[in-house]
Amino acid sequence: MKAVGITSHGGSEVLELIDCPQPEIESNEVLVRIKACALNHLDIWIRRGLPGLKLKMPHILGADIAGTVEAVGSLVRNTKPGDEVLLSPSLSCMHCEYCLSGRDNLCAQYDMLGLRSPGGYAEMVKCPSVNVLPKPANLTFEEAASVPLVFLTAWHMLVGRVDLRPGEIVLVHAAGSGVGIAAIQIGKLLGARVIATASTKEKLDKAAQLGADDLINYSEHDFLDEIKRLTNKRGVDVVFEHTGEATWEKSVRSLVRGGRLVTCGATSGHNGNLDIRYLFSKQIALFGSYMGGKPELLEVLKHFESGRLKPVVDRVLPLEAAAEAQKALENRAQFGKVVLTP
Ligand SMILES: [Zn+2]
């Protein structure tokens, strides 16, 4: 089958069109013919190489996959050939205390499609049958592939970790990113007031269309000054962080007394200063968050079926254009998800 793989770590030039054998399924696994695979920043981190990450080369990237079932193993009962599906990206042991309590994202053996296991930059992928979920009928394959990783991540952050409440104010950084788009919509769904930041007026206009109540152009204004102005010096209840070093200190200072900061990433750098006096005297809470549990994804998908949450696809490119697609993400040229189709 055709795939885009890497045989070494590096820049986008290491992405190569390769011909590789079709995956062979075990009795509890499903073979899926891929119709769409959405990109994530995770793909770029893996391509560049992560500490301690040893991959079997050539490695196929891509966590967010939608397609049709091609074949099922002899023990599989929950799906059959021809079904239109999307895949939960999370792979885990399914028998430890975390997995059995729906917190598989804390499993010691946690993995994802495209992380250590082969992913979706290909014509076919295999996964355990537990990862196969029905595609919401009102979504195209491209839209369905745009959902799992970013909406699960943002849901776990705002619902699972900080329990965002109606009437609270949440600051969402980088509104044009995949998790930003998800966080704006989830914030509104939960009844919060959403303040969104982005670098251009065009992106802010789109954030407003998704429901953001207040907008900050961080290339023109200091976002901390704007938070003070917009909240009458009060500060926000929750900061949705994923940019890291560039925003960290001011994100902490944007919080109201007793506020919560939740972070799932550090795309701009991974060192953040923290004045410990500020942390204890303002009684601030800092939350780390990584993906989300399988039950949370099922909950998220219900809101897509009802139309309360909407995928945002920026562009669809052929699989062969994987390098161009990743560059768009690295240059922050997109508003929403970049999707590959084989
Ligand atoms: Zn486990």
Side-chain angles (χ1 to χ4, degrees), residues 8-330:
S8 62
H9 294 291
S12 59
E13 71 282 353
V14 301
L15 294 162
E16 284 175 60
L17 193 63
I18 55 173
D19 191 32
C20 57
Q22 188 170 301
E24 283 179 27
I25 53 172
E26 305 285 337
S27 55
N28 65 333
E29 291 181 325
V30 175
L31 181 68
V32 172
R33 180 172 291 278
I34 298 168
K35 300 281 190 185
C37 176
L39 270 64
N40 290 287
H41 263 284
L42 176 70
D43 306 1
I44 292 164
W45 301 129
I46 299 166
R47 189 200 73 206
R48 290 177 186 162
L50 291 166
L53 179 68
K54 289 205 173 63
L55 299 175
K56 187 169 169 274
M57 299 293 189
H59 177 66
I60 301 171
L61 298 162
D64 274 334
I65 299 164
T68 54
V69 173
E70 185 78 4
V72 301
S74 59
L75 299 176
V76 174
R77 298 286 177 270
N78 63 317
T79 190
K80 60 183 187 311
D83 284 354
E84 298 188 344
V85 297
L86 66 82
L87 303 185
S88 164
S90 307
L91 303 166
S92 64
C93 81
M94 298 309 287
H95 54 73
C96 74
E97 63 182 290
Y98 295 119
C99 287
L100 292 177
S101 61
R103 296 177 293 160
D104 48 285
N105 52 332
L106 288 167
C107 177
Q109 292 175 42
Y110 190 74
D111 185 18
M112 272 186 252
L113 294 170
L115 178 55
R116 288 180 186 82
S117 303
Y121 290 18
E123 290 178 303
M124 301 272 192
V125 68
K126 71 166 186 172
C127 66
S129 62
V130 70
N131 288 66
V132 177
L133 306 171
K135 177 178 80 65
N138 54 334
L139 302 187
T140 65
F141 286 107
E142 290 84 357
E143 289 171 334
S146 301
V147 171
L149 195 144
V150 289
F151 276 90
L152 177 60
T153 298
W155 187 271
H156 184 58
M157 290 170 77
L158 293 178
V159 179
R161 299 297 280 152
V162 301
D163 188 24
L164 183 66
R165 310 300 298 171
E168 288 193 316
I169 307 173
V170 57
L171 165 63
V172 176
H173 282 298
S177 64
V179 283
I181 281 167
I184 291 170
Q185 294 188 59
I186 293 166
K188 291 314 295 175
L189 182 71
L190 297 171
R193 173 180 166 196
V194 176
I195 304 177
T197 77
S199 57
T200 66
K201 183 179 180 303
E202 194 189 8
K203 286 183 183 180
L204 289 170
D205 287 345
K206 289 181 182 171
Q209 285 166 20
L210 290 176
D213 299 281
D214 298 284
L215 309 166
I216 298 174
N217 185 328
Y218 67 77
S219 62
E220 290 177 1
H221 300 282
D222 180 277
F223 80 81
L224 180 56
D225 289 345
E226 286 293 283
I227 290 294
K228 286 179 182 164
R229 184 180 68 79
L230 290 166
T231 63
N232 201 16
K233 295 187 180 166
R234 175 188 179 271
V236 299
D237 300 282
V238 169
V239 176
F240 182 91
E241 247 296 340
H242 54 107
T243 48
E245 200 163 318
T247 50
W248 179 260
E249 281 188 76
K250 286 183 178 175
S251 286
V252 173
R253 290 176 59 201
S254 297
L255 289 167
V256 68
R257 287 186 298 280
R260 298 95 83 199
L261 180 151
V262 59
T263 180
C264 71
T267 46
S268 68
H270 51 254
N271 290 306
N273 280 330
L274 180 68
D275 184 334
I276 295 166
R277 296 168 301 180
Y278 199 85
L279 179 72
F280 67 70
S281 65
K282 295 234 170 188
Q283 302 194 57
I284 284 165
L286 304 177
F287 291 83
S289 193
Y290 187 70
M291 293 292 286
K294 277 196 170 68
E296 291 180 303
L297 183 57
L298 297 177
E299 203 175 350
V300 166
L301 289 177
K302 286 183 203 162
H303 296 295
F304 281 92
E305 283 157 10
S306 68
R308 284 191 292 266
L309 295 176
K310 290 183 170 53
V312 180
V313 177
D314 178 85
R315 69 191 81 175
V316 179
L317 293 167
L319 178 61
E320 292 79 3
E324 180 193 337
Q326 287 200 354
K327 273 186 212 157
L329 221 61
E330 286 178 292

